[in-house]
Amino acid sequence: EMASYNQGCLILVGILVTLSLPYSHAFWRNENKIQTAVFLSPKFVLGPGSVENRFYYNVDFPKGHIAVKSFDAEVIDEAGNPIPLHETYLHHWVVVRYYVRKGVEISEFDDPRKFNESDYISGRNSGICQNLGQFFGLGSETRKTSTHVPNPYGIEAGNPAEIPSGFEEQWMLNVHAIDTRGAEDKLGCTECRCDLYNITVDEYGRPLRPDYKGGLLCCYDHTQCKVKHGFEAVRRALYLRYTVTWVDMDTSVLPVKIYIFDITDSWKRSRSSTGIIAEHECKVEYDIGSCDATGMGDDGCIDTRRISLDMPFGGYLIYGVAHQHSGGTGSALYREDGQLMCSSLPTYGEGEEPGNEAGYIVGMTTCYPKPGTVEISKGETLILESNYSRIRHHTGVMGLFYILVADELPKPMHALHTVVQTQDSIMVVTILWAAVALIGVVAVIAVAVHYRLKREGEDGYEAIGM
């Protein structure tokens, strides 16, 4: 009986340890403590109606072999005050990795084509759109959209094994901001309507198509949107303030890959198609026609676009979020049989303060599937859907979808000693052993009482209600 009781105590201790330490990512080692840094873009100056769309190379970024856990940004003034969207509209910001030959000076360039090809190598994401190579990026929704990568995952950067010999890793930041103070049509300015900018040629002097009514080709750097007659306001210096959190990369961190899908992707399945990047033409933006004047129509005045894409990769979905412009009503990713994998819906502001600007998308919901529950098979066909309101005409809108995919899942914890690495885990183990000691004392007392009662006979049991 004593042996049975002790065995029961050991089983109880085992259960306590198992419940307390279910996964290998329950504790981070000392070197995996979260680190945070706040950086500023180069200064840009905007007046009423003016546009900033510059590419800044070799911007500040955490050094070393790291795993990025989040990347957030917003526009601020020189005093550090956040600027509301109804004054300066943040069309988008993106961060791109690249490699440059050591000894080559890379500063600020207006045109990426100025790079000598032998000195510059793109370090794009794993996605299928050649012209969407960014690692991070959002738009007006940036303040209220989560970019957090859950444990034990991270976006790997600075891996010496991935940096070409003789090169170093650097980062480029593109900021596209439009000052709409005093604008005749704020929404028209943010949607880059060509007539409001009086633009008929692109930034390289090439004539625009006659049917091109608005979009990125009409609001490039230093263009000017129409402002109300007589309106005056000071030009002001602004910055993109971006905050990066990360941990040092080691074997406890599982890397994720970044994939970006675009609703304008013109890829079509054929017998010879393979799904490789060269087959995908992603136009990035498109227009939304308004509802018929006669009524709402059967679609409820919603423009719905869907495309099918064959996945040239496989893995486990860890995170997903869409990027849409004003008028967007949400986007989703489905399996071919219609099963929902991830949806992302817009949040519209209701006030004047930064992060709650009425009429603007100020956030997009994200999806964080439980690890292992959403697996993508290589070659599988996925359906991307993007929805916009058609109550009014929209130009230059976007329907992008970002996902993070992991090749593997976290492994279960099998041994207690692998966790005893940090002060926090030592404290937990101390508490566990204290609990074991207490259980042992209780067990000894219980056994002693048991045998005493046994000697006293049945009357003793009855006296304590047994």
Side-chain angles (χ1 to χ4, degrees):
E1 291 182 359
M2 175 72 80
S4 299
Y5 201 97
N6 288 341
Q7 185 178 7
C9 289
L10 289 174
I11 292 173
L12 179 59
V13 171
I15 292 173
L16 284 173
V17 172
T18 302
L19 290 175
S20 301
L21 308 170
Y23 293 106
S24 59
H25 63 279
F27 300 98
W28 290 84
R29 300 189 179 115
N30 272 334
E31 63 267 28
N32 272 354
K33 288 184 176 179
I34 292 287
Q35 302 178 67
T36 301
V38 180
F39 304 106
L40 293 179
S41 73
K43 178 176 67 176
F44 53 94
V45 180
L46 292 179
S50 62
V51 177
E52 139 86 4
N53 190 16
R54 303 290 292 276
F55 296 84
Y56 302 106
Y57 289 85
N58 196 17
V59 296
D60 291 329
F61 196 83
K63 303 297 183 183
H65 189 190
I66 65 171
V68 177
K69 300 293 292 180
S70 66
F71 198 120
D72 302 297
E74 65 174 339
V75 173
I76 62 170
D77 62 17
E78 287 193 298
N81 300 311
I83 301 299
L85 294 169
H86 52 76
E87 292 184 9
T88 298
Y89 179 75
L90 184 56
H91 187 281
H92 70 260
W93 61 269
V94 297
V95 177
V96 178
R97 179 172 67 179
Y98 64 94
Y99 306 106
V100 64
R101 189 179 302 279
K102 292 179 180 178
V104 174
E105 288 293 329
I106 301 292
S107 55
E108 179 185 325
F109 281 78
D110 292 328
D111 186 351
R113 295 179 301 180
K114 292 182 179 179
F115 282 122
N116 186 324
E117 291 184 4
S118 65
D119 295 330
Y120 174 87
I121 300 174
S122 173
R124 64 184 315 280
N125 61 49
S126 302
I128 53 180
C129 292
Q130 183 65 40
N131 54 335
L132 294 171
Q134 63 263 32
F135 266 53
F136 314 99
L138 291 171
S140 68
E141 74 276 20
T142 187
R143 289 188 175 105
K144 290 188 175 180
T145 300
S146 174
T147 63
H148 173 67
V149 182
N151 294 340
Y153 302 100
I155 298 171
E156 188 174 16
N159 184 352
E162 295 181 354
I163 301 175
S165 178
F167 285 72
E168 59 181 331
E169 180 182 271
Q170 294 182 1
W171 297 84
M172 182 275 288
L173 170 66
N174 169 222
V175 180
H176 189 186
I178 303 170
D179 192 318
T180 59
R181 290 176 295 166
E184 285 188 0
D185 182 347
K186 284 182 181 285
L187 182 60
C189 285
T190 64
E191 293 187 342
C192 302
R193 271 180 38 197
C194 301
D195 60 328
L196 292 174
Y197 285 86
N198 194 27
I199 293 294
T200 58
V201 297
D202 67 15
E203 60 185 313
Y204 304 111
R206 299 171 298 198
L208 301 177
R209 302 188 322 266
D211 63 340
Y212 189 82
K213 302 301 180 183
L216 292 169
L217 298 182
C218 288
C219 59
Y220 44 89
D221 197 38
H222 295 316
T223 52
Q224 177 74 35
C225 196
K226 286 185 178 179
V227 175
K228 296 174 184 175
H229 180 71
F231 180 85
E232 293 184 3
V234 297
R235 291 174 59 82
R236 59 185 179 186
L238 302 173
Y239 303 84
L240 186 80
R241 178 170 60 195
Y242 55 103
T243 303
V244 186
T245 62
W246 74 94
V247 296
D248 291 334
M249 192 72 187
D250 68 10
T251 55
S252 68
V253 183
L254 299 180
V256 293
K257 295 178 181 178
I258 302 169
Y259 297 92
I260 302 178
F261 304 124
D262 179 15
I263 199 67
T264 68
D265 192 338
S266 60
W267 179 86
K268 300 294 182 183
R269 184 188 295 108
S270 66
R271 291 183 178 181
S272 60
S273 65
T274 62
I276 61 174
I277 290 177
E279 298 176 349
H280 293 263
E281 182 183 355
C282 300
K283 299 177 182 178
V284 182
E285 57 181 7
Y286 61 107
D287 291 353
I288 303 292
S290 61
C291 293
D292 294 334
T294 55
M296 297 285 285
D298 295 336
D299 60 3
C301 208
I302 296 295
D303 179 274
T304 298
R305 305 201 180 193
R306 294 166 66 93
I307 60 170
S308 299
L309 298 168
D310 288 355
M311 297 299 101
F313 63 88
Y316 299 94
L317 182 63
I318 303 300
Y319 166 91
V321 69
H323 169 64
Q324 292 188 313
H325 291 186
S326 293
T329 60
S331 185
L333 197 62
Y334 298 91
R335 296 195 190 276
E336 194 171 23
D337 63 4
Q339 179 186 354
L340 177 65
M341 300 176 67
C342 178
S343 66
S344 183
L345 303 175
T347 298
Y348 282 86
E350 300 176 344
E352 295 289 325
E353 68 275 17
N356 188 37
E357 300 93 332
Y360 297 88
I361 293 180
V362 297
M364 295 292 296
T365 63
T366 52
C367 62
Y368 287 96
K370 183 179 179 181
T373 60
V374 180
E375 184 176 4
I376 300 171
S377 300
K378 185 175 182 178
E380 180 179 4
T381 299
L382 300 185
I383 309 297
L384 175 62
E385 178 180 285
S386 181
N387 299 296
Y388 271 85
S389 167
R390 295 199 300 120
I391 291 177
R392 61 157 290 169
H393 179 238
H394 295 280
T395 61
V397 303
M398 295 184 179
L400 308 182
F401 210 99
Y402 292 68
I403 63 172
L404 300 181
V405 176
D407 290 336
E408 57 182 308
L409 295 174
K411 295 177 174 59
M413 169 64 72
H414 294 296
L416 180 62
H417 68 84
T418 60
V419 185
V420 188
Q421 300 290 340
T422 68
Q423 292 179 354
D424 290 341
S425 59
I426 292 172
M427 182 181 296
V428 171
V429 173
T430 302
I431 293 172
L432 284 174
W433 280 116
V436 170
L438 179 59
I439 291 171
V441 171
V442 172
V444 171
I445 295 173
V447 171
V449 171
H450 170 76
Y451 279 96
R452 179 179 177 182
L453 293 176
K454 187 173 182 181
R455 288 195 302 271
E456 292 178 356
E458 296 297 329
D459 291 341
Y461 282 96
E462 292 176 358
I464 60 173
M466 297 183 68

